[in-house]
Amino acid sequence: MSTATIQTLDTPDGPFTILEREGHVEASGWTADHAALLARLAPAHRPDVVAEGETTAAAAVTAYYAGDADAIDAVPVRQHGTALQRAGWNALRGIAPGEPLTYTAFAARLGNPRAVRVAASICARNAPALFVPCHRVLRSDGSLGGFAWGLDVKRALLDRESSFALTRTGS
């Protein structure tokens, strides 16, 4: 029987919930609705028991919102998918804050710049949002595209990370 811990934090972008099992974030997002967060996982990968409690990832979220955009990078995540999806999720973690990519550029990082729909699908199926920063991928025209947690949250994250990047470079 598998047990996961779930915790909801208040953030400037609204409630942020983390589902963590065995020290790995498996799902997270801007909602206080636990059922909505669990729905991000395929039924076969959902925990048997979910208990409210403290997650280890909560400290990284607090640090991120305090201005440390890199705090989320060290948080272990666990995702279930195809080899291409897992490679894509890993590549998302390599996108620097304040330096978003287009879906085309993201597809190129995956080895096929014409596979824009595949790149978009990888982003859409990303369960541990923020820790795997799919919000850092934009349409070719610079517009936001989609985001499971809403375009207002995506814009706020990108704006925040842009200011973090300016602080780092001293601009």
mmCIF file of all heavy atoms in Angstrom, residues 9-29:
data_model
loop_
_atom_site.group_PDB
_atom_site.id
_atom_site.type_symbol
_atom_site.label_atom_id
_atom_site.label_comp_id
_atom_site.label_asym_id
_atom_site.label_seq_id
_atom_site.Cartn_x
_atom_site.Cartn_y
_atom_site.Cartn_z
ATOM 1 N N LEU A 9 -0.058 25.229 0.302
ATOM 2 C CA LEU A 9 0.600 26.450 0.765
ATOM 3 C C LEU A 9 -0.095 27.656 0.165
ATOM 4 O O LEU A 9 -0.589 27.590 -0.963
ATOM 5 C CB LEU A 9 2.070 26.474 0.320
ATOM 6 C CG LEU A 9 2.927 25.268 0.647
ATOM 7 C CD1 LEU A 9 4.235 25.331 -0.126
ATOM 8 C CD2 LEU A 9 3.191 25.221 2.131
ATOM 9 N N ASP A 10 -0.086 28.767 0.870
ATOM 10 C CA ASP A 10 -0.546 30.029 0.302
ATOM 11 C C ASP A 10 0.615 30.659 -0.444
ATOM 12 O O ASP A 10 1.734 30.725 0.080
ATOM 13 C CB ASP A 10 -1.022 30.979 1.407
ATOM 14 C CG ASP A 10 -2.322 30.520 2.041
ATOM 15 O OD1 ASP A 10 -3.168 29.956 1.311
ATOM 16 O OD2 ASP A 10 -2.488 30.716 3.253
ATOM 17 N N THR A 11 0.378 31.089 -1.686
ATOM 18 C CA THR A 11 1.407 31.779 -2.469
ATOM 19 C C THR A 11 0.784 33.034 -3.075
ATOM 20 O O THR A 11 -0.445 33.155 -3.120
ATOM 21 C CB THR A 11 1.948 30.895 -3.622
ATOM 22 O OG1 THR A 11 0.976 30.842 -4.677
ATOM 23 C CG2 THR A 11 2.314 29.493 -3.152
ATOM 24 N N PRO A 12 1.605 33.943 -3.584
ATOM 25 C CA PRO A 12 1.062 35.117 -4.259
ATOM 26 C C PRO A 12 0.190 34.769 -5.474
ATOM 27 O O PRO A 12 -0.612 35.586 -5.911
ATOM 28 C CB PRO A 12 2.311 35.886 -4.692
ATOM 29 C CG PRO A 12 3.366 35.463 -3.727
ATOM 30 C CD PRO A 12 3.061 34.015 -3.427
ATOM 31 N N ASP A 13 0.346 33.559 -6.011
ATOM 32 C CA ASP A 13 -0.435 33.129 -7.166
ATOM 33 C C ASP A 13 -1.624 32.259 -6.773
ATOM 34 O O ASP A 13 -2.253 31.645 -7.633
ATOM 35 C CB ASP A 13 0.463 32.382 -8.159
ATOM 36 C CG ASP A 13 1.570 33.269 -8.682
ATOM 37 O OD1 ASP A 13 1.312 34.456 -8.952
ATOM 38 O OD2 ASP A 13 2.720 32.785 -8.804
ATOM 39 N N GLY A 14 -1.917 32.189 -5.491
ATOM 40 C CA GLY A 14 -3.030 31.384 -5.004
ATOM 41 C C GLY A 14 -2.542 30.146 -4.292
ATOM 42 O O GLY A 14 -1.337 29.924 -4.140
ATOM 43 N N PRO A 15 -3.483 29.302 -3.844
ATOM 44 C CA PRO A 15 -3.080 28.085 -3.141
ATOM 45 C C PRO A 15 -2.262 27.180 -4.061
ATOM 46 O O PRO A 15 -2.583 27.033 -5.238
ATOM 47 C CB PRO A 15 -4.400 27.434 -2.745
ATOM 48 C CG PRO A 15 -5.442 28.081 -3.586
ATOM 49 C CD PRO A 15 -4.919 29.412 -4.007
ATOM 50 N N PHE A 16 -1.204 26.594 -3.497
ATOM 51 C CA PHE A 16 -0.321 25.698 -4.250
ATOM 52 C C PHE A 16 -0.249 24.397 -3.461
ATOM 53 O O PHE A 16 0.148 24.384 -2.294
ATOM 54 C CB PHE A 16 1.073 26.307 -4.399
ATOM 55 C CG PHE A 16 2.013 25.461 -5.216
ATOM 56 C CD1 PHE A 16 1.937 25.457 -6.594
ATOM 57 C CD2 PHE A 16 2.969 24.662 -4.603
ATOM 58 C CE1 PHE A 16 2.802 24.678 -7.362
ATOM 59 C CE2 PHE A 16 3.839 23.882 -5.352
ATOM 60 C CZ PHE A 16 3.753 23.887 -6.733
ATOM 61 N N THR A 17 -0.638 23.302 -4.111
ATOM 62 C CA THR A 17 -0.683 22.011 -3.438
ATOM 63 C C THR A 17 0.397 21.090 -3.989
ATOM 64 O O THR A 17 0.629 21.032 -5.194
ATOM 65 C CB THR A 17 -2.082 21.382 -3.588
ATOM 66 O OG1 THR A 17 -3.035 22.267 -2.995
ATOM 67 C CG2 THR A 17 -2.175 20.030 -2.893
ATOM 68 N N ILE A 18 1.032 20.383 -3.067
ATOM 69 C CA ILE A 18 2.119 19.444 -3.382
ATOM 70 C C ILE A 18 1.698 18.049 -2.942
ATOM 71 O O ILE A 18 1.252 17.861 -1.810
ATOM 72 C CB ILE A 18 3.410 19.827 -2.615
ATOM 73 C CG1 ILE A 18 3.833 21.253 -2.930
ATOM 74 C CG2 ILE A 18 4.524 18.823 -2.910
ATOM 75 C CD1 ILE A 18 4.840 21.819 -1.929
ATOM 76 N N LEU A 19 1.846 17.076 -3.837
ATOM 77 C CA LEU A 19 1.650 15.665 -3.510
ATOM 78 C C LEU A 19 3.027 15.013 -3.562
ATOM 79 O O LEU A 19 3.669 15.008 -4.623
ATOM 80 C CB LEU A 19 0.701 14.982 -4.504
ATOM 81 C CG LEU A 19 0.460 13.502 -4.222
ATOM 82 C CD1 LEU A 19 -0.513 13.340 -3.056
ATOM 83 C CD2 LEU A 19 -0.083 12.810 -5.461
ATOM 84 N N GLU A 20 3.460 14.493 -2.429
ATOM 85 C CA GLU A 20 4.817 13.946 -2.319
ATOM 86 C C GLU A 20 4.745 12.514 -1.786
ATOM 87 O O GLU A 20 3.988 12.233 -0.858
ATOM 88 C CB GLU A 20 5.605 14.847 -1.356
ATOM 89 C CG GLU A 20 7.073 14.590 -1.290
ATOM 90 C CD GLU A 20 7.755 15.612 -0.384
ATOM 91 O OE1 GLU A 20 8.108 16.701 -0.866
ATOM 92 O OE2 GLU A 20 7.891 15.318 0.819
ATOM 93 N N ARG A 21 5.530 11.653 -2.416
ATOM 94 C CA ARG A 21 5.598 10.259 -1.972
ATOM 95 C C ARG A 21 7.054 9.829 -1.994
ATOM 96 O O ARG A 21 7.760 10.042 -2.973
ATOM 97 C CB ARG A 21 4.752 9.374 -2.906
ATOM 98 C CG ARG A 21 4.635 7.962 -2.462
ATOM 99 C CD ARG A 21 3.627 7.119 -3.204
ATOM 100 N NE ARG A 21 3.208 7.589 -4.515
ATOM 101 C CZ ARG A 21 2.410 6.907 -5.319
ATOM 102 N NH1 ARG A 21 1.933 5.736 -4.961
ATOM 103 N NH2 ARG A 21 2.064 7.389 -6.487
ATOM 104 N N GLU A 22 7.497 9.243 -0.881
ATOM 105 C CA GLU A 22 8.871 8.739 -0.763
ATOM 106 C C GLU A 22 9.892 9.820 -1.124
ATOM 107 O O GLU A 22 10.891 9.554 -1.781
ATOM 108 C CB GLU A 22 9.061 7.499 -1.627
ATOM 109 C CG GLU A 22 8.151 6.352 -1.233
ATOM 110 C CD GLU A 22 8.149 5.218 -2.247
ATOM 111 O OE1 GLU A 22 8.670 5.384 -3.381
ATOM 112 O OE2 GLU A 22 7.595 4.156 -1.904
ATOM 113 N N GLY A 23 9.618 11.065 -0.718
ATOM 114 C CA GLY A 23 10.554 12.159 -0.945
ATOM 115 C C GLY A 23 10.538 12.745 -2.342
ATOM 116 O O GLY A 23 11.361 13.597 -2.654
ATOM 117 N N HIS A 24 9.624 12.305 -3.186
ATOM 118 C CA HIS A 24 9.525 12.804 -4.561
ATOM 119 C C HIS A 24 8.174 13.492 -4.784
ATOM 120 O O HIS A 24 7.137 12.938 -4.412
ATOM 121 C CB HIS A 24 9.635 11.652 -5.570
ATOM 122 C CG HIS A 24 10.977 11.015 -5.598
ATOM 123 N ND1 HIS A 24 11.360 10.074 -4.680
ATOM 124 C CD2 HIS A 24 12.020 11.187 -6.429
ATOM 125 C CE1 HIS A 24 12.598 9.686 -4.949
ATOM 126 N NE2 HIS A 24 13.024 10.348 -6.013
ATOM 127 N N VAL A 25 8.204 14.658 -5.415
ATOM 128 C CA VAL A 25 6.965 15.313 -5.800
ATOM 129 C C VAL A 25 6.433 14.589 -7.030
ATOM 130 O O VAL A 25 7.138 14.422 -8.018
ATOM 131 C CB VAL A 25 7.179 16.812 -6.104
ATOM 132 C CG1 VAL A 25 5.904 17.440 -6.663
ATOM 133 C CG2 VAL A 25 7.633 17.553 -4.862
ATOM 134 N N GLU A 26 5.182 14.150 -6.938
ATOM 135 C CA GLU A 26 4.559 13.458 -8.057
ATOM 136 C C GLU A 26 3.530 14.333 -8.759
ATOM 137 O O GLU A 26 3.249 14.127 -9.932
ATOM 138 C CB GLU A 26 3.947 12.143 -7.590
ATOM 139 C CG GLU A 26 5.017 11.167 -7.136
ATOM 140 C CD GLU A 26 4.489 9.778 -6.856
ATOM 141 O OE1 GLU A 26 3.274 9.531 -6.980
ATOM 142 O OE2 GLU A 26 5.316 8.918 -6.501
ATOM 143 N N ALA A 27 2.981 15.300 -8.038
ATOM 144 C CA ALA A 27 2.042 16.238 -8.636
ATOM 145 C C ALA A 27 2.041 17.506 -7.792
ATOM 146 O O ALA A 27 2.252 17.456 -6.582
ATOM 147 C CB ALA A 27 0.636 15.646 -8.705
ATOM 148 N N SER A 28 1.822 18.623 -8.458
ATOM 149 C CA SER A 28 1.728 19.902 -7.754
ATOM 150 C C SER A 28 1.050 20.898 -8.679
ATOM 151 O O SER A 28 1.090 20.755 -9.899
ATOM 152 C CB SER A 28 3.108 20.405 -7.328
ATOM 153 O OG SER A 28 3.995 20.465 -8.432
ATOM 154 N N GLY A 29 0.428 21.890 -8.074
ATOM 155 C CA GLY A 29 -0.214 22.911 -8.887
ATOM 156 C C GLY A 29 -0.985 23.899 -8.037
ATOM 157 O O GLY A 29 -1.151 23.726 -6.830
#
